[in-house]
Amino acid sequence: MLWNHEYLLLTWAALSISLANVILLGWLGLTVLLNAEHRDAGVVLAGAGLLLGAAFFVSHTALLGLSIQELAQASWRLNLWWRAGWLPLAAAPFAWYLMVLWYTGYWENEPFSIPLQPTLRFRHRLGIGATGVLLLLLMALLLATGSLPTFVELAQRQIAMAWNVASAPLLLIIFPLYILLCIGLALDALYHPLPSSRLMGDQARARARPWLIGATLMLLVVSMLVVGVIFWLLYVTEDTVYERVIPLTLPLARVDLLITALIGLAIYLVGQGIIAYEIFTGGALPRQALRRNWLNAVGLALCFGGLASAHFAFQLEPVSTLLLAAVLMTGFYALVNRSAYRHREEEMRQLRPFVGSQHLYEQLLGATPSPGRSSFLQPASSVPPNGQGPFPTHEPESDHVDAYALFYNLCHDVLQVEQAHLVPLGALAPMLGGIISYPQARHDAQSGLTEIVEQQTAVLASSGWRAQNSPAGMALDPARSDGLKWSVPLWSERGLIGFFLLGSKRNSNLLTQEEIELARASGERLIDTQAGLEIGRRLLALQRRQLAESQLLDRRARRILHDEVLPQLHTALLALTSLPRMPEGQPSDEVAPVADLLTDTHQQIAALLRTMPARAMPQLSELGLVGALQALAADELANAFDAVRWQVDEDAVQAAATLSPLTQEVLFYAAREAMRNAARHGRSDHPQRALELDVAVLRQNGLHIQVQDNGVGLATHSHDGADHAVREATKGGHGLTLHSTLLAIVGGELTVQSQPQRGVCVTIWLPLGFM
């Protein structure tokens, strides 16, 4: 009959969706329980609620499958699955309500009695109590004998139940009221969420709330349909007499299919919230692999549900169903492997520039550091208290092009973001040459990043986060951060070395957890690689310069000795030998010119010796770091300053004594170079200018050595003048460039602050972690 064919199609569709719901709810429940960061009571509640839904659809699927063959025999298995399905069906709405309350922060803040939205809290306290009482009453009625008709009685409209109220079964009165109350209160909680105590919890809730609201609205529609079906069963009668007993009439079969499909849609929306935004697993960012697995699970559930239900609905041969299932599983597994292989190949293609050779050897031997890299000299008015300084503009030219090319590939091809900035901090910041921006930004466009970085650094410091426990990324307010959405802290053994600031993706999708972790690892590798390359470049360039200076000095000494000193000495000797002998005590008038010639020769040799490289200070091992600096001021620089003032912290002296000899030498030579520069250039062209020196050795979150004079300061502060200032600050000796590099190697930092006619202040800092 046509009527029977329609019924079989409806049953097949309902059975397919019901089996798919079993698979999806079970997969979601186990995923929440197994992938949660912290398996607390809320996670267990969410996973248990999803598994309760799966248990209900297990009974629903069994009922649909058995009813096709065994309803005429009034099988006891039908009644068993019928009664078993009511228990998870009754508990699922209450579990969903509690799960939504946990998601919206009700359970997080409840123990602390925060006076936040007291009306909402009071309403939900009453709601929990009312729904809990109704659930207990439902469980009691379901377990009581005679309170629930059998499945056959329901299909034949023989609804004779105990515990009636006004000729209406009490169970069928309480159940719709209970469902509507649970779903309505859950919807109210979703529209009035409380603040989250979890990191970036509010952002995750805001992104996931539309999905959960959509799922709850679907469940509300399902609840109304259930109420309508119950009302129809109780008060609407039909005169139609069917030729044989069937499990459900056509209207009920259509309604059952509609309800099952709506619940399946709600499950998909919940799955999107769970997988795409990690609302129940504790993560603030979606994971790309988990999203792919979710889509694979949806495809497998629909295909397998349709195939398995066809066996029951159309009475297929068991061996045919088995073969079709084998073909389905084999094909699905092959497609999953193909997809995984393509994703792996794409990831390797994107990461190949980072894991491949960077040609560091060629760059190290074929290039020298550009002047722009020595940008650790900052005006005093623009250096923050932490000594990290403002961030110079990154210009992707000459030696910068390799770093910018890698950064461009990462941002454009891998992360696919609209804008990004790599901000180095600490000792490695001068080695990187400043901020690297994608796309290239002017210095004025990067000036606002200083405030963002300072705020993020303060957040990390106040929270006590380190590399082991810090979040992969911290959300930013795009309206206050010039469109930037994420701040990724970068770490090394030295501590915080920078931030990776990310904007929106070009396709308007959210950044995934894998992409944030990739940005973090790539940023750390880029900073370490470029800093190591720059340190090697600086040391190699300085070594070349020293070799050239040594060769020039040697040639100059040879030339002076050969062309000037030796001829003069030879002339003096000849003159002395040709002098007539005089009586004892009577000097010759010709001795005076010879003496003057010898005096000139002596002065030339003395000047040559003064140009020789200064010898090392042997007092460092005996006097210690502070004592050696004081001896330097009292001996070599005794006449260089009008006054030298010292501020020495005893704790700093003891801390310096515990340093390794290599670290002490690096600190001493850097401070000595700063003191010598002040003596040589502090007066400039005004030798009568008063010049004073202040030296402070303090222990403040590390070892601080500050050398400050009141001289003329550095000449200029423009871009061209900055290079001139570097040259001025590095005249004589090995220069502050070398000492800044050596300090970076041992974990320290060197910053130079200058103000015209107010002097120069050189600060040397060794963090606690390297003492």
Side-chain angles (χ1 to χ4, degrees), residues 96-386:
W96 175 255
Y97 175 41
L98 295 182
M99 197 163 55
V100 169
L101 285 179
W102 172 70
Y103 158 76
T104 54
Y106 183 88
W107 303 114
E108 292 181 12
N109 299 318
E110 178 68 15
F112 304 99
S113 301
I114 298 178
L116 188 64
Q117 300 187 19
T119 305
L120 177 66
R121 291 190 174 279
F122 179 74
R123 183 164 64 248
H124 284 292
R125 287 193 186 99
L126 291 180
I128 293 173
T131 53
V133 170
L134 290 176
L135 175 62
L136 293 177
L137 186 57
L138 278 175
M139 290 297 181
L141 291 173
L142 289 173
L143 297 176
T145 304
S147 59
L148 186 67
T150 65
F151 188 77
V152 177
E153 292 173 347
L154 179 66
Q156 296 175 349
R157 306 284 183 83
Q158 298 176 3
I159 305 177
M161 303 171 57
W163 308 95
N164 297 327
V165 176
S167 70
L170 182 60
L171 178 65
L172 299 183
I173 295 176
I174 295 177
F175 186 69
L177 177 63
Y178 162 74
I179 292 181
L180 288 174
L181 189 59
C182 287
I183 302 302
L185 288 171
L187 197 61
D188 176 68
L190 286 172
Y191 277 106
H192 303 89
L194 297 176
S196 174
S197 60
R198 184 168 58 92
L199 175 67
M200 293 180 290
D202 291 331
Q203 291 87 341
R205 288 176 181 173
R207 294 192 298 266
R209 194 173 65 162
W211 298 102
L212 293 186
I213 290 178
T216 307
L217 289 175
M218 289 295 101
L219 295 178
L220 182 61
V221 174
V222 169
S223 303
M224 294 179 178
L225 287 175
V226 170
V227 172
V229 169
I230 291 176
F231 178 80
W232 182 72
L233 287 174
L234 289 177
Y235 299 106
V236 178
T237 58
E238 291 186 0
D239 297 331
T240 305
V241 178
Y242 300 104
E243 296 180 358
R244 64 183 180 91
V245 179
I246 59 172
L248 290 173
T249 60
L250 272 179
L252 283 179
R254 293 166 183 161
V255 172
D256 180 67
L257 175 60
L258 177 60
I259 291 176
T260 306
L262 289 176
I263 295 178
L265 179 59
I267 293 171
Y268 177 78
L269 295 177
V270 173
Q272 285 295 105
I274 292 176
I275 302 304
Y277 302 105
E278 305 275 344
I279 56 175
F280 294 133
T281 59
L285 289 170
R287 281 174 282 186
Q288 192 172 10
L290 203 58
R291 181 185 300 174
R292 290 198 299 267
N293 293 337
W294 162 245
L295 295 178
N296 291 336
V298 172
L300 177 62
L302 293 176
C303 294
F304 184 78
L307 176 63
S309 60
H311 169 76
F312 295 96
F314 303 111
Q315 301 297 309
L316 299 179
E317 292 293 333
V319 65
S320 301
T321 305
L322 181 62
L323 291 175
L324 290 175
V327 171
L328 173 64
M329 289 304 189
T330 304
F332 182 80
Y333 187 68
L335 290 176
V336 169
N337 282 343
R338 178 176 178 272
S339 177
Y341 179 78
R342 291 181 60 185
H343 282 294
R344 179 182 176 277
E345 288 296 313
E346 180 65 19
E347 290 173 355
M348 289 303 299
R349 184 192 66 80
Q350 294 174 346
L351 294 179
R352 193 166 288 115
F354 296 92
V355 299
S357 174
Q358 303 298 319
H359 305 287
L360 299 182
Y361 183 77
E362 292 81 359
Q363 296 185 53
L364 185 62
L365 296 182
T368 56
S370 60
R373 288 188 182 269
S374 299
S375 54
F376 53 87
L377 297 171
Q378 307 295 346
S381 59
S382 59
V383 176
N386 57 11

Side-chain angles (χ1 to χ4, degrees), residues 318-557:
V319 65
S320 301
T321 305
L322 181 62
L323 291 175
L324 290 175
V327 171
L328 173 64
M329 289 304 189
T330 304
F332 182 80
Y333 187 68
L335 290 176
V336 169
N337 282 343
R338 178 176 178 272
S339 177
Y341 179 78
R342 291 181 60 185
H343 282 294
R344 179 182 176 277
E345 288 296 313
E346 180 65 19
E347 290 173 355
M348 289 303 299
R349 184 192 66 80
Q350 294 174 346
L351 294 179
R352 193 166 288 115
F354 296 92
V355 299
S357 174
Q358 303 298 319
H359 305 287
L360 299 182
Y361 183 77
E362 292 81 359
Q363 296 185 53
L364 185 62
L365 296 182
T368 56
S370 60
R373 288 188 182 269
S374 299
S375 54
F376 53 87
L377 297 171
Q378 307 295 346
S381 59
S382 59
V383 176
N386 57 11
Q388 292 170 343
F391 314 108
T393 306
H394 187 281
E395 299 176 359
E397 300 173 358
S398 65
D399 297 329
H400 292 284
V401 68
D402 296 324
Y404 183 78
L406 289 174
F407 190 71
Y408 180 90
N409 178 80
L410 175 65
C411 298
H412 185 270
D413 298 331
V414 181
L415 301 178
Q416 299 180 0
V417 293
E418 294 180 351
Q419 62 170 324
H421 305 277
L422 183 63
V423 184
L425 300 176
L428 301 183
M431 309 301 162
L432 202 66
I435 298 176
I436 306 178
S437 296
Y438 165 81
Q440 302 175 18
R442 303 182 311 274
H443 179 68
D444 55 353
Q446 294 179 340
S447 59
L449 301 178
T450 304
E451 182 179 357
I452 299 175
V453 170
E454 290 178 352
Q455 291 175 352
Q456 297 299 302
T457 304
V459 171
L460 291 175
S462 62
S463 303
W465 284 324
R466 303 293 295 173
Q468 298 80 6
N469 58 357
S470 71
M474 298 182 292
L476 298 174
D477 184 5
R480 303 176 60 183
S481 305
D482 195 21
L484 296 171
K485 288 190 173 182
W486 289 98
S487 168
V488 181
L490 308 177
W491 301 89
S492 72
E493 294 181 355
R494 302 170 180 267
L496 185 66
I497 61 173
F499 283 94
F500 202 136
L501 306 179
L502 297 168
S504 303
K505 296 196 69 171
R506 293 196 300 270
N507 55 9
S508 300
N509 290 336
L510 286 175
L511 286 166
T512 63
Q513 182 73 25
E514 292 91 338
E515 289 172 334
I516 292 293
E517 293 174 355
L518 177 62
R520 179 173 179 174
S522 301
E524 292 170 351
R525 174 179 170 83
L526 187 58
I527 289 179
D528 288 339
T529 302
Q530 293 300 315
L533 177 61
E534 181 61 20
I535 289 175
R537 281 172 171 167
R538 288 188 179 187
L539 293 178
L540 185 60
L542 290 169
Q543 182 65 26
R544 288 172 175 171
R545 191 181 73 179
Q546 282 186 301
L547 290 175
E549 290 177 352
S550 177
Q551 292 176 358
L552 290 175
L553 185 61
D554 180 68
R555 293 176 181 176
R556 179 185 176 191

